[in-house]
């Protein structure tokens, strides 16, 4: 039971890290836009550094597919916990019981 609790906590941290990356990237974009004089009303193209554009693309991908990625993370973490728990049980069950007599 403890392994499933640990897996749930790990998956929760991974999902929070995903959303934290999205929020941090949005803040970086807003700051870069303000530095370049964007007031939020005009719809004009602007140049941004390449690394910021890559972060924006990844954050947008994570935002669009946040629900399937979250379900996948939870499934992978719980599935790994199940697999690790069942692999220990199968090795114990395969060992013969030896009783030494006097």
């Amino acid at each position: 039971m403890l392994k499933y609790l640990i897996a749930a906590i790990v998956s929760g941290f991974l999902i929070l890290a995903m959303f934290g990356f999205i929020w941090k990237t949005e803040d970086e974009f807003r700051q870069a836009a303000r530095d370049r004089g964007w007031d939020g009303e005009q719809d004009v193209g602007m140049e941004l550094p390449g690394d910021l554009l890559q972060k924006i693309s990844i954050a947008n991908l994570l935002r669009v597919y946040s629900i399937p990625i979250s379900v996948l993370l939870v499934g992978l973490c719980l599935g790994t916990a199940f697999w690790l728990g069942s692999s220990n049980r199968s090795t114990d069950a395969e060992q013969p019981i030896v009783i030494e007599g006097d």
Side-chain angles (χ1 to χ4, degrees), residues 28-39 42 44-53:
E28 287 180 22
F29 170 72
R30 287 189 189 110
Q31 184 62 38
R34 274 188 240 123
D35 291 344
R36 287 165 177 74
W38 185 61
D39 59 357
Q42 56 183 341
V44 181
M46 103 179 82
E47 291 188 20
L48 295 172
D51 60 337
L52 183 58
L53 286 176

Side-chain angles (χ1 to χ4, degrees), residues 4 11 15 20 24 28 31 48 51 65 70-71 73 81 88 101:
Y4 295 113
S11 64
I15 291 169
K24 184 177 183 300
E28 287 180 22
Q31 184 62 38
L48 295 172
D51 60 337
Y65 295 111
S70 299
V71 170
L73 285 173
N88 290 340

Side-chain angles (χ1 to χ4, degrees), residues 9-66:
I9 291 171
V10 168
S11 64
F13 280 133
L14 289 173
I15 291 169
L16 283 176
M18 177 179 70
F19 284 110
F21 175 77
I22 292 169
W23 293 325
K24 184 177 183 300
T25 304
E26 285 179 354
D27 288 340
E28 287 180 22
F29 170 72
R30 287 189 189 110
Q31 184 62 38
R34 274 188 240 123
D35 291 344
R36 287 165 177 74
W38 185 61
D39 59 357
E41 294 181 12
Q42 56 183 341
D43 191 19
V44 181
M46 103 179 82
E47 291 188 20
L48 295 172
D51 60 337
L52 183 58
L53 286 176
Q54 289 175 352
K55 282 183 173 180
I56 292 170
S57 297
I58 293 169
N60 189 32
L61 178 77
L62 290 175
R63 178 180 293 284
V64 169
Y65 295 111
S66 62

